[in-house]
Amino acid sequence: MKYVIIGNSYAGLSCVDAIRRFDKTGEITIISDEPYKAYARPLISYYLEGKTTDETIWYKDDNYYEKNDARTMFGKTVSSVDTASKNVVLDDGSIVKYDKLFIGTGGVPFVPPLEGFNPASPMMGTFTKLNDAKKMEAASKVAKNKEAIVIGGGLIGLKASEGLRALGMHVTIVELLPRVLGLALDEISGQITAKRLNKNGIDTVTNDTVIKINLDGTGNPESVTLKSGRELIADIVVVGVGVRPNVAFLEGSGIKVDRGIIVDKTMMTSVEDIYAGGDVVVTYDVINKRPNIIAIVPLACEQGRIAGANMAGVYREYPGGMGLNSVEIYGLPIITIGLTNPNDPSQSVFTYQEGETIYRKLVYSGEILVGAILLGNIDGAGILSAIIRQGAKCLSYKDEFLKGNIFSFVIDNEFEIYNINEGYAIRGDFKDLPEFSRTNWR
Amino acid sequence: MDKFKLTNLKADLKKGRTEIMLYPSKCDGCEGEEFHACIKACEEHMKEKYGKYSGARVSIKKKNGKFFPVICHNCDEAPCVDACMPGARYKDAETGWTLTNYKKCVGCWMCVMVCPFGAIERVEGSHFASKCDGCIDEDVPKCVSACKRNALLRTGIKNYSYERRLMVAKKMYGPYVKMHYAGIIKDKRG
Ligand SMILES: Cc1cc2nc3c(=O)[nH]c(=O)nc-3n(C[C@H](O)[C@H](O)[C@H](O)COP(=O)(O)OP(=O)(O)OC[C@H]3O[C@@H](n4cnc5c(N)ncnc54)[C@H](O)[C@@H]3O)c2cc1C
Ligand code: SF4
């Protein structure tokens, strides 16, 4: 059996692990357009802050590829997939044959139409790859006024700002929404976050956007003009608006794409023997109960694993995922789970606040918890994630949760909430495996 | 009913395929004593083993006089491994335990966000997330030997899986569940 994996990151490697769990001999080839072994993509901002280094940013052990007997083709871009003859075509014209294909190509940064933006300039760019971080590191050294503008206050924009700030730049985030992390945070937590950022040298301009980058003689930015008419000095401009599924190379392949790759419950695409997972797919959102693109690490790993098991011939279904987020803003941890900004009036919201250090918000739909924000104190956050994902009834616990006694739910219910046979926690015991499948892992 | 053998405790223990089984109803929070014995034992041991990344990996939560030891349940497909961005948490291929390479941990708290048992602690000062490693390199985990009430016991993975199912079944169906099998854990200390 020839397995080919496009994408050497969370989804792709989790798929490799799953294949190797069930198929020790099949041939595995991993293709990636980046020249490195797998690195922790979201850590590129920590890399700039020095919290991770050239030694620790690598996602897997050094001998990972040999240990898993995987052939690697790094620095090669896939230009198309020929589904009829089961070939992957690389940009140098060479061909890789597959029996089962996994597509985990992640996202490409989205750049809105913006006058003056030129990613080839050493002082401008997006922020999703290790090379982007290295570029910013170099740019900060030659920046004259130490002023950086980050367009977009979402997760990527925020991380880019933290990174640039650590390089000694004064950063201004320009965000179209009324607050940073506008989709995940609510007004109160957004305000607390903004204050933290401002105190640490990151300014936030909200309800506004950049309409033009003014260039100097050499094609590098000098300043930016905002929609509101303001002009801000800028040595560095980073566009961190978000990512879109990386599907351009699939055009004409017959694989169904609607924004992202459409997959079924087994993570198979519309073409047999081709699977996909990670930021590139449209997955089922268990909270909003509709297909959605949720670009986060935990889901990329889960989806890769389900796909890998199915590719190796072990039938498994993916129940769907939900949005989750964890950030730490200069010492203040914030976790958001599921639906945090409800606009359905039938849903009820409960909050608790202690100044600017602790904030909790719970969103209930009837008796079922569907979303939460924990700011300041995040102990037991995972219990809430489990409850929310499973849709357990827990309205009677709302006061305990607001007080921060999240463990009270577990104490009362002991192990019951984690349905062991269907398995949230002890998830390996699925039907198609022999009893006590946990031994198979070993 | 004849006794039948479902598990093979001895073989599992020999191969280091062990788990720490919880019996929360037996935990009395070390009543009358100043410290919880398991926490203290763990703290000391972790300091020896991990140095800078010390701190107890077990904690005791309390509600209305009921105590509950919170500790890693070593999930098969562990959510914390999935969520860990730097790849600090990983599955040990031999023992199946979810282990941590603390050097890689950056304190992003993704694992805290997903652990369904709330077993990961955010260590604010030194900025890392600490988690039980099962003391698989020890004969008996320190918390287990410290617990006088047998609320924490070491067992093989098959027994563990079986016992957990039985516990849930008993809770749901009460006295109707009667199972006999040989090798059920009476004494784990050996
Ligand atoms: C700055 C930043 C911060 C983030 N912070 C968080 C966070 O805090 N929490 C969180 O959960 N998520 C975060 N994310 C999102 C997270 O990085 C993604 O969800 C995750 O990387 C998705 O993994 P993936 O395997 O789907 O794809 P990716 O990691 O995007 O990997 C795609 C792979 O495909 C390869 N590839 C792409 N196209 C081709 C081609 N044509 N030919 C060959 N190879 C190709 C690439 O080389 C790469 O190896 C962050 C992202 C960024 C950029
Ligand atoms: S720390 Fe939590 S999520 Fe990770 S293996 Fe242990 S119980 Fe599971």
Side-chain angles (χ1 to χ4, degrees):
Chain A
M1 183 70 81
K2 281 194 176 68
Y3 302 98
V4 174
I5 318 286
I6 313 178
N8 178 32
S9 187
Y10 297 96
L13 296 183
S14 156
C15 174
V16 170
D17 288 341
I19 293 175
R20 271 290 171 258
R21 181 173 178 179
F22 300 112
D23 182 346
K24 302 272 188 261
T25 54
E27 224 176 89
I28 297 181
T29 306
I30 305 172
I31 307 175
S32 160
D33 61 0
E34 286 176 279
Y36 312 104
K37 56 188 179 189
Y39 63 89
R41 186 172 311 286
L43 259 55
I44 55 175
S45 62
Y46 294 77
Y47 177 79
L48 295 181
E49 292 172 70
K51 286 184 191 163
T52 185
T53 62
D54 279 318
E55 270 104 60
T56 51
I57 196 165
W58 310 110
Y59 181 50
K60 296 281 188 187
D61 289 346
D62 284 346
N63 61 354
Y64 175 83
Y65 301 101
E66 294 97 72
K67 219 171 62 198
N68 285 293
D69 196 9
R71 193 161 71 108
T72 55
M73 300 179 77
F74 297 160
K76 305 254 192 251
T77 307
V78 173
S79 52
S80 64
V81 177
D82 181 349
T83 50
S85 52
K86 289 199 164 183
N87 282 329
V88 171
V89 184
L90 304 183
D91 57 349
D92 57 12
S94 60
I95 278 172
V96 184
K97 272 203 110 27
Y98 67 84
D99 294 320
K100 305 259 179 190
L101 178 68
F102 180 79
I103 302 172
T105 47
V108 279
F110 172 69
V111 181
L114 179 58
E115 199 186 328
F117 183 74
N118 171 19
S121 153
M123 309 299 277
M124 285 188 263
T126 50
F127 196 72
T128 57
K129 300 193 165 196
L130 189 52
N131 282 349
D132 298 336
K134 292 191 168 162
K135 181 170 167 182
M136 289 309 140
E137 201 173 14
S140 70
K141 290 201 180 112
V142 294
K144 284 178 291 244
N145 306 302
K146 299 284 169 211
E147 287 287 343
I149 302 288
V150 173
I151 304 172
L155 192 60
I156 293 178
L158 195 67
K159 297 270 176 126
S161 314
E162 283 180 327
L164 287 164
R165 178 67 196 139
L167 294 172
M169 306 291 294
H170 174 259
V171 183
T172 308
I173 300 179
V174 185
E175 166 63 52
L176 199 58
L177 292 173
R179 57 183 172 269
V180 289
L181 288 179
L183 299 177
L185 297 183
D186 62 356
E187 221 176 297
I188 298 172
S189 52
Q191 258 168 24
I192 299 176
T193 309
K195 253 196 192 155
R196 273 270 163 161
L197 291 172
N198 299 161
K199 226 169 59 197
N200 287 285
I202 298 178
D203 284 348
T204 46
V205 175
T206 50
N207 291 316
D208 207 344
T209 186
V210 173
I211 50 168
K212 184 169 178 236
I213 302 173
N214 307 306
L215 306 176
D216 65 9
T218 57
N220 292 331
E222 206 167 44
S223 67
V224 294
T225 308
L226 303 187
K227 197 171 177 195
S228 58
R230 273 171 76 187
E231 194 175 329
L232 299 171
I233 301 176
D235 300 313
I236 295 179
V237 177
V238 172
V239 178
V241 179
V243 294
R244 299 279 178 276
N246 183 359
V247 290
F249 68 101
L250 293 176
E251 211 171 297
S253 66
I255 296 171
K256 197 169 161 206
V257 171
D258 180 4
R259 288 197 304 150
I261 299 177
I262 305 293
V263 289
D264 65 8
K265 274 188 174 169
T266 64
M267 302 310 294
M268 190 167 84
T269 63
S270 60
V271 177
E272 211 174 337
D273 291 337
I274 301 184
Y275 293 76
D279 287 8
V280 75
V281 302
V282 179
T283 192
Y284 183 70
D285 182 335
V286 294
I287 302 294
N288 297 311
K289 304 213 175 353
R290 64 179 168 82
N292 201 354
I293 296 172
I294 311 176
I296 56 171
V297 169
L299 300 196
C301 288
E302 287 173 4
Q303 293 162 359
R305 179 170 56 237
I306 301 290
N310 284 309
M311 286 163 76
V314 177
Y315 183 80
R316 288 190 72 180
E317 287 184 357
Y318 187 58
M322 64 176 184
L324 291 162
N325 237 317
S326 166
V327 289
E328 185 172 277
I329 314 277
Y330 296 103
L332 181 77
I334 306 172
I335 285 179
T336 60
I337 308 165
L339 186 69
T340 49
N341 284 309
N343 37 26
D344 179 347
S346 72
Q347 286 161 330
S348 35
V349 173
F350 307 96
T351 59
Y352 171 88
Q353 191 178 1
E354 266 175 40
E356 278 177 11
T357 50
I358 289 182
Y359 175 66
R360 296 188 190 95
K361 175 179 186 170
L362 303 171
V363 181
Y364 278 93
S365 179
E367 273 190 86
I368 296 170
L369 187 62
V370 292
I373 298 178
L374 296 178
L375 181 148
N377 176 357
I378 56 170
D379 286 352
I383 297 172
L384 286 188
S385 301
I387 294 172
I388 292 173
R389 193 160 185 178
Q390 300 197 357
K393 288 184 182 163
C394 60
L395 189 60
S396 54
Y397 285 89
K398 78 173 195 322
D399 294 327
E400 295 276 354
F401 289 165
L402 284 181
K403 274 189 270 166
N405 300 337
I406 297 170
F407 287 92
S408 64
F409 188 83
V410 183
I411 297 174
D412 289 350
N413 295 277
E414 294 200 356
F415 300 121
E416 261 171 40
I417 48 163
Y418 310 115
N419 187 335
I420 285 176
N421 285 318
E422 280 164 35
Y424 182 94
I426 302 190
R427 291 186 294 186
D429 296 337
F430 36 88
K431 281 192 232 92
D432 310 79
L433 283 177
E435 228 186 333
F436 299 127
S437 66
R438 281 155 73 71
T439 47
N440 289 8
W441 179 254
R442 291 149 205 219
Chain B
M1 199 203 241
D2 282 344
K3 290 199 170 182
F4 54 92
K5 197 168 173 175
L6 266 175
T7 65
N8 194 345
L9 187 58
K10 268 197 199 130
D12 277 350
L13 292 185
K14 218 179 189 165
K15 287 185 200 141
R17 296 168 169 178
T18 58
E19 303 280 352
I20 299 171
M21 181 79 201
L22 290 185
Y23 299 90
S25 55
K26 290 191 186 168
C27 175
D28 67 352
C30 285
E31 243 196 339
E33 282 161 57
E34 205 177 329
F35 297 105
H36 301 305
C38 53
I39 297 185
K40 209 170 148 220
C42 183
E43 221 161 45
E44 276 167 19
H45 186 55
M46 287 299 125
K47 198 158 193 172
E48 258 166 53
K49 199 154 148 188
Y50 288 109
K52 188 169 133 202
Y53 305 105
S54 59
R57 277 30 172 182
V58 51
S59 64
I60 305 292
K61 303 287 172 194
K62 188 183 165 193
K63 188 192 178 190
N64 305 335
K66 223 168 136 187
F67 293 89
F68 196 90
V70 174
I71 192 169
C72 173
H73 291 231
N74 196 23
C75 310
D76 185 6
E77 292 173 347
C80 57
V81 176
D82 283 354
C84 184
M85 303 197 300
R89 296 212 199 280
Y90 63 96
K91 273 281 172 197
D92 184 51
E94 261 156 54
T95 60
W97 260 87
T98 313
L99 303 180
T100 312
N101 175 357
Y102 287 104
K103 279 202 198 95
K104 274 189 168 184
C105 179
V106 294
C108 62
W109 321 128
M110 292 287 286
C111 54
V112 177
M113 174 176 81
V114 296
C115 175
F117 298 99
I120 305 182
E121 198 150 337
R122 168 176 179 252
V123 181
E124 199 175 345
S126 348
H127 217 80
F128 71 97
S130 75
K131 184 191 88 63
C132 166
D133 65 359
C135 278
I136 34 170
D137 44 351
E138 304 288 321
D139 277 346
V140 180
K142 299 293 173 192
C143 55
V144 172
S145 40
C147 181
K148 296 178 203 78
R149 306 262 322 186
N150 285 0
L152 297 163
L153 285 179
R154 185 178 82 131
T155 180
I157 45 159
K158 289 184 184 171
N159 288 57
Y160 178 79
S161 172
Y162 180 80
E163 284 263 306
R164 284 281 295 268
R165 289 159 195 246
L166 203 63
M167 258 165 111
V168 172
K170 278 225 173 92
K171 255 193 113 157
M172 289 194 203
Y173 307 111
Y176 304 111
V177 178
K178 275 208 191 91
M179 287 284 247
H180 304 271
Y181 76 111
I184 193 156
I185 333 117
K186 282 276 155 6
D187 184 20
K188 227 82 329 62
R189 311 277 166 80

